Amino acid sequence: MRKSLFIYILLLVSAAAMAQRKPAKSIVYIIQSDRSVGVNEEMIKVYNGTFRQENTTLRADSSYFYPKRNSFDAFGNVHINQGDTLNVYSDKLYYNGTSHVALLTNNVRLVDRDATLTTNYLTYNTATKIGTYTGGGKLVNKDNTLISQNGYYFANTRDAYFRYNVVLTTIDAVIKTDTLRYNSGTRISYFFGPTHILGKDKDTLYTEKGNYNTITEQAFFSKNNLYTQGTKSLKGDSLFYDRLKGYGRAVRNITFNDNEQKVTIKGNLGTYYRADERAVVTQDPYVIMVTEERDTTQNKMTAAQPLLKAKRDKTTVVKPKVPANTKPLAKVGTHVSDKGTLTTDSIAIKPPPRIKRDSIYWGADTLETQILTYKKLRELQERMRLSGIRDTSLKDKPKPVKKIPLKVSTTKTLIAMPPADIKIDMSFLKPDLFGAPKAPDTTQKKLPVIAKDSSAKKPVKAVAQPKDIRLDSVYMTRKLNLSDTARIRILSAHHNAKIFKSDLQSKADSMFYSYADSTMRCFVNPMIWTQGSQLSGDTIYLQLKNKKLDNMDLWPNAFTVNIEAPDSTHFNQVAGKKMRGFFVANKLQRMFVDGNAETIYFNRDSTKKEVTDLMRSISSRIRVNFKDNKASNITLYTKVEQRILPIAKAVDDDKILKGFIWKPKERPESKEAIISPTKLKPPGKKGAAGKTPAKSPPGKGKPVLPGAKKPVIDSAGKALPVIDSATTKMVTDSVLKVLPGLPGSSKLPALKKVPAVIDSVKKKVGKDTARVVKP
């Protein structure tokens, strides 16, 4: 017991001793001075003195040292040194050795290797090596300069934090932000607030979070990013750009907008190449091209139109002077008082002209945009044209023959004789072997030349042409007059390219659009659906004029299919080598077909709207006019052949032309098919709840009547449809027509007895035709 008590007391004494023990105080020492003068018991004046505390050295021209307070005031050429790299200079200093805090004022400079911080007031802690200013300062790090209202410099990590009115100036950009972190070692800046980056090329970038490496010139932005250059802008959840390599990348919710051309490109992944001025967008990319059409139907206001009433204003307007015999004209909604003043009650305001806006949605697996010179654009278009031409002569091209050198004879002959297996053409030794050459034919008639017209001021010459040669309507296009150095933007769509417009849809494997001629070129199995017609060809061109559809070209193997609702079995068809259509108010107005033009048209009864006969024709050229989204008339030109067949005598081969194609399911039905095609795909094996559907009962894949809910198994083990009450009458009529002699022909048996009735009929008939009944 005593031993335990002694140990307990010993522990208490040890704990008390440790509690009373304090850490050693860090004291400021004077290690060197020219002379010192004691002013009083608490203050010593030191001339050109050097102070030291731990690893910090402080110097000044003059100072007042307070030994009891472990502090001093310094004046003139103040210098604080820590190690070989960190130095602080100022005109005045107050240093507290207990808290290790130095207050420096007037011309303060903090130099850390290649970074220099200047300010007029700096608080610096020699223990933590942290400097702070709140009265404005500047940091210069080689080619970078930072200015801010508040600043915090950490010498250990070389990080600097800047707050309020921060401006970072680099060689190629000026960055203005609210909060910025900068490392003078790596020279990387980090943004933590609204930031505006102004480039030398008059481009700007806005972000709220990101970083920029001033050495490698790589930038990354990750919040509310917006890049603007002139009329163009780019948005994205994440943006990355390498200026030295000229490579950029945008991820998630990308939006490229061109206000001048009124074009918007969207997607989820984009790549930019500065050398080629090319950008590639993937992952659900699409383009929005805005078309405009002014609505002139309500340019003038009529009495029947409602007036736009302004607020009632009782202010009077002095009536202007008019001749005595002339009565003043009052506007609509005004009242002339007896005193000759005009009182504004309600003023008719002319509304601004309305503008109808329609957008063309253009999507594909990959979208690409690039800026080219007009010379390079022509070269690119020529390569695209040649790529679609297959050289069939390569298969039959003979293999190169190996040349055998001739053996030179040693005998003195005129010609060195080759080996016996090689024959030489010796006909040149006898030029008249086949007789004398024929004399030129002088009796051939020359093409007549039109004589000079004496009535005209200038002579006109023309060479006669064959009568059957005419101007081809397909080539009535506008020629471009641009210089080779003109810069033109192009758009390319690769794989599964689609177009949706309210009155026109299209699809192709690839598409190409040039701003030089505003023409969209569609390649590899292109198709167009418009006004109830399907147009197809090996190549299709769509040209816009004033941001509206102007014309289109289809060649070769151009084909048009048209149906008249509600008939979906008889197809009006037009085929030819080339087609050219013209649009008015974004609607197809007329179309020309050239080269072996063929048509099939089904005539209908005007009252019953039933097909009566089929008309087939062939000619050199066809013109089709459209009205109210239908073909109003068809005109045939040159070598016309027509044949009319009654519809009852027409066979299937008579109803279609060679090359007929009809694919309405490939038509984009809405803009959602362009914007988000992946969301419109049918679900896979798993259902909506993510569960695999149960196995189907026997009879899977057999036709089932509408309204069937649960299959019923008959005596043979086959599934029969169960019909609800809504379709009872339909089933009654169908059964009575298909199965005559069914018991209870006047009334349908009870619903639960239908399978049994069908089984009995099957046994009677002996066929499986009664298993499923169609209306």
Side-chain angles (χ1 to χ4, degrees):
M1 185 68 181
R2 292 181 179 179
K3 186 177 181 179
S4 302
L5 182 60
F6 176 77
I7 294 174
Y8 179 73
I9 295 174
L10 183 61
L11 291 175
L12 290 177
V13 172
S14 302
M18 293 180 64
Q20 293 178 359
R21 185 179 176 181
K22 296 182 180 180
K25 182 179 179 180
S26 179
I27 301 175
V28 177
Y29 299 97
I30 301 177
I31 60 174
Q32 185 180 356
S33 66
D34 289 350
R35 62 191 181 94
S36 301
V37 178
V39 179
N40 52 42
E41 296 180 355
E42 295 183 354
M43 183 174 61
I44 302 174
K45 187 174 182 179
V46 181
Y47 295 91
N48 197 15
T50 302
F51 301 85
R52 187 170 185 84
Q53 185 182 28
E54 297 177 355
N55 61 343
T56 303
T57 304
L58 304 95
R59 298 184 181 89
D61 291 346
S62 62
S63 58
Y64 291 94
F65 181 53
Y66 312 100
K68 293 182 179 180
R69 290 188 292 176
N70 199 28
S71 62
F72 65 91
D73 288 312
F75 307 92
N77 296 321
V78 177
H79 179 204
I80 300 176
N81 174 257
Q82 287 187 308
D84 298 331
T85 59
L86 183 62
N87 296 276
V88 183
Y89 304 92
S90 70
D91 292 343
K92 297 179 181 180
L93 166 68
Y94 170 76
Y95 184 73
N96 189 327
T98 304
S99 61
H100 296 80
V101 174
L103 303 179
L104 301 103
T105 56
N106 297 345
N107 301 322
V108 182
R109 287 186 303 121
L110 187 152
V111 181
D112 187 6
R113 298 179 179 88
D114 53 4
T116 302
L117 174 66
T118 59
T119 182
N120 283 326
Y121 187 91
L122 178 69
T123 302
Y124 181 74
N125 191 307
T126 59
T128 60
K129 295 184 178 179
I130 299 176
T132 305
Y133 66 85
T134 57
K138 180 174 68 173
L139 175 66
V140 179
N141 182 213
K142 290 191 174 181
D143 298 327
N144 303 325
T145 303
L146 294 100
I147 301 174
S148 67
Q149 182 66 29
N150 296 357
Y152 311 88
Y153 186 81
F154 297 80
N156 289 328
T157 60
R158 303 192 68 183
D159 281 332
Y161 290 84
F162 301 92
R163 194 81 166 90
Y164 307 122
N165 302 326
V166 184
V167 178
L168 169 60
T169 305
T170 65
I171 297 177
D172 57 340
V174 176
I175 302 172
K176 298 180 179 180
T177 182
D178 183 69
T179 304
L180 182 142
R181 170 191 165 198
Y182 179 81
N183 188 283
S184 59
T186 60
R187 283 186 272 173
I188 300 177
S189 57
Y190 304 86
F191 317 115
F192 303 96
T195 304
H196 297 270
I197 302 177
L198 311 176
K200 286 190 175 181
D201 299 332
K202 296 182 180 180
D203 54 345
T204 61
L205 190 144
Y206 174 83
T207 184
E208 294 181 3
K209 187 178 181 181
N211 61 74
Y212 177 65
N213 191 324
T214 59
I215 299 177
T216 61
E217 299 187 19
Q218 293 180 347
F220 176 77
F221 312 103
S222 59
K223 184 178 180 181
N224 296 334
N225 311 303
L226 174 62
Y227 175 79
T228 306
Q229 184 179 25
T231 60
K232 305 173 184 64
S233 63
L234 174 65
K235 291 182 180 180
D237 290 354
S238 299
L239 296 180
F240 171 80
Y241 184 66
D242 190 327
R243 186 176 179 275
L244 296 180
K245 296 181 180 179
Y247 172 82
R249 195 174 182 86
V251 182
R252 300 287 298 175
N253 300 322
I254 303 169
T255 301
F256 173 79
N257 190 27
D258 189 342
N259 294 326
E260 182 179 1
Q261 299 293 340
K262 295 191 176 179
V263 174
T264 303
I265 304 177
K266 292 179 176 289
N268 286 323
L269 182 62
T271 307
Y272 173 72
Y273 304 91
R274 186 184 59 188
D276 301 332
E277 294 186 85
R278 180 169 60 97
V280 181
V281 183
T282 57
Q283 293 187 8
D284 296 339
Y286 62 95
V287 180
I288 303 176
M289 305 176 69
V290 180
T291 61
E292 294 181 357
E293 178 187 358
R294 289 189 178 274
D295 185 6
T296 58
T297 58
Q298 297 183 0
N299 282 348
K300 296 181 179 180
M301 296 190 62
T302 59
Q305 293 175 342
L307 298 176
L308 300 180
K309 292 186 177 182
K311 294 182 178 180
R312 186 179 183 89
D313 186 6
K314 297 183 179 180
T315 306
T316 58
V317 182
V318 179
K319 180 181 175 182
K321 294 182 179 180
V322 294
N325 298 329
T326 305
K327 294 183 179 181
L329 297 177
K331 293 184 179 181
V332 178
T334 60
H335 175 69
V336 181
S337 63
D338 298 336
K339 296 181 181 181
T341 57
L342 185 65
T343 305
T344 59
D345 187 3
S346 60
I347 303 174
I349 303 174
K350 184 178 179 180
R354 296 194 315 173
I355 297 177
K356 294 182 179 179
R357 297 183 184 272
D358 196 5
S359 300
I360 300 176
Y361 293 86
W362 180 21
D365 291 348
T366 303
L367 285 177
E368 181 178 345
T369 177
Q370 188 176 7
I371 296 179
L372 298 174
T373 61
Y374 185 56
K375 180 179 180 181
K376 291 185 178 180
L377 176 60
R378 293 201 311 269
E379 296 174 356
L380 176 62
Q381 292 177 345
E382 182 65 15
R383 290 198 303 269
M384 295 170 64
R385 186 187 69 83
L386 296 177
S387 63
I389 301 176
R390 185 169 58 92
D391 189 359
T392 58
S393 62
L394 295 177
K395 294 183 179 180
D396 303 330
K397 188 175 182 180
K399 297 181 180 180
V401 181
K402 186 178 180 180
K403 296 182 179 180
I404 302 176
L406 299 177
K407 295 181 180 180
V408 180
S409 176
T410 57
T411 59
K412 295 181 180 181
T413 56
L414 296 176
I415 300 176
M417 299 303 295
D421 57 343
I422 297 180
K423 296 181 180 181
I424 297 180
D425 185 8
M426 307 293 290
S427 60
F428 68 92
L429 298 177
K430 299 179 180 181
D432 298 333
L433 181 64
F434 299 98
K438 294 182 180 180
D441 187 7
T442 58
T443 61
Q444 185 178 5
K445 294 182 179 180
K446 296 182 179 180
L447 295 175
V449 179
I450 299 177
K452 295 182 179 180
D453 188 359
S454 58
S455 62
K457 295 181 179 180
K458 295 183 180 179
V460 179
K461 294 183 180 181
V463 179
Q465 298 180 353
K467 295 181 180 180
D468 56 345
I469 295 180
R470 297 180 181 179
L471 180 63
D472 193 349
S473 60
V474 170
Y475 294 102
M476 293 191 300
T477 57
R478 302 190 303 271
K479 293 184 178 180
L480 296 176
N481 187 17
L482 299 176
S483 62
D484 291 343
T485 58
R487 293 167 57 83
I488 300 167
R489 178 177 291 278
I490 62 173
L491 283 171
S492 303
H494 308 285
H495 307 301
N496 300 323
K498 296 179 181 179
I499 294 176
F500 177 83
K501 193 176 178 291
S502 59
D503 51 3
L504 183 142
Q505 298 83 39
S506 177
K507 57 89 58 179
D509 183 72
S510 60
M511 296 182 182
F512 176 84
Y513 180 79
S514 170
Y515 284 83
D517 52 6
S518 300
T519 301
M520 189 176 298
R521 298 164 173 84
C522 308
F523 305 99
V524 187
N525 301 324
M527 288 186 184
I528 293 178
W529 293 269
T530 178
Q531 299 175 221
S533 301
Q534 174 187 282
L535 299 90
S536 60
D538 293 350
T539 302
I540 296 179
Y541 282 8
L542 281 170
Q543 189 172 37
L544 281 70
K545 183 179 181 181
N546 297 329
K547 301 181 180 66
K548 295 185 293 185
L549 289 174
D550 183 71
N551 61 79
M552 68 177 177
D553 295 332
L554 301 90
W555 86 95
N557 303 323
F559 208 102
T560 301
V561 182
N562 176 271
I563 60 174
E564 297 183 17
D567 188 0
S568 60
T569 58
H570 299 91
F571 302 92
N572 301 325
Q573 305 159 51
V574 179
K577 291 183 178 179
K578 308 169 187 175
M579 287 187 186
R580 183 165 177 81
F582 296 89
F583 294 86
V584 174
N586 286 325
K587 293 184 179 180
L588 186 62
Q589 186 189 51
R590 63 186 183 278
M591 184 172 62
F592 295 91
V593 185
D594 292 282
N596 298 333
E598 297 182 79
T599 64
I600 288 180
Y601 184 77
F602 293 91
N603 292 321
R604 288 172 169 79
D605 190 348
S606 59
T607 58
K608 297 182 179 180
K609 302 296 182 181
E610 295 180 356
V611 177
T612 58
D613 51 41
L614 176 151
M615 182 175 66
R616 237 184 131 138
S617 64
I618 183 171
S619 61
S620 297
R621 176 174 299 169
I622 296 176
R623 171 173 174 162
V624 184
N625 292 336
F626 293 86
K627 185 178 181 181
D628 298 332
N629 296 337
K630 295 181 181 179
S632 59
N633 58 63
I634 301 176
T635 308
L636 310 177
Y637 301 93
T638 312
K639 300 179 181 179
V640 179
E641 297 180 7
Q642 285 186 334
R643 186 174 55 139
I644 299 177
L645 291 174
I647 194 63
K649 296 183 179 180
V651 297
D652 292 341
D653 292 340
D654 296 331
K655 296 180 181 180
I656 60 173
L657 295 174
K658 183 180 180 181
F660 173 82
I661 185 173
W662 178 248
K663 295 183 177 180
K665 292 184 179 180
E666 296 185 7
R667 168 179 168 265
E669 297 182 355
S670 62
K671 66 180 182 180
E672 283 73 18
I674 308 296
I675 297 174
S676 55
T678 56
K679 295 182 180 179
L680 299 179
K681 291 183 179 179
K685 295 182 179 180
K686 294 185 177 182
K691 298 180 180 180
T692 305
K695 293 183 179 179
S696 302
K700 178 183 178 182
K702 300 295 182 180
V704 180
L705 287 174
K709 298 180 180 179
K710 185 177 181 181
V712 179
I713 309 302
D714 63 3
S715 58
K718 297 181 179 180
L720 293 173
V722 175
I723 310 168
D724 58 9
S725 58
T727 55
T728 301
K729 186 177 183 303
M730 179 185 68
V731 176
T732 304
D733 298 337
S734 302
V735 171
L736 293 178
K737 290 180 182 178
V738 179
L739 302 175
L742 184 68
S745 58
S746 60
K747 294 182 180 180
L748 184 69
L751 187 61
K752 61 182 179 180
K753 296 182 180 180
V754 171
V757 173
I758 296 178
D759 285 344
S760 63
V761 174
K762 285 172 57 179
K763 292 179 181 179
K764 180 179 179 181
V765 179
K767 296 181 181 179
D768 196 28
T769 57
R771 177 174 173 267
V772 177
V773 180
K774 291 186 178 181

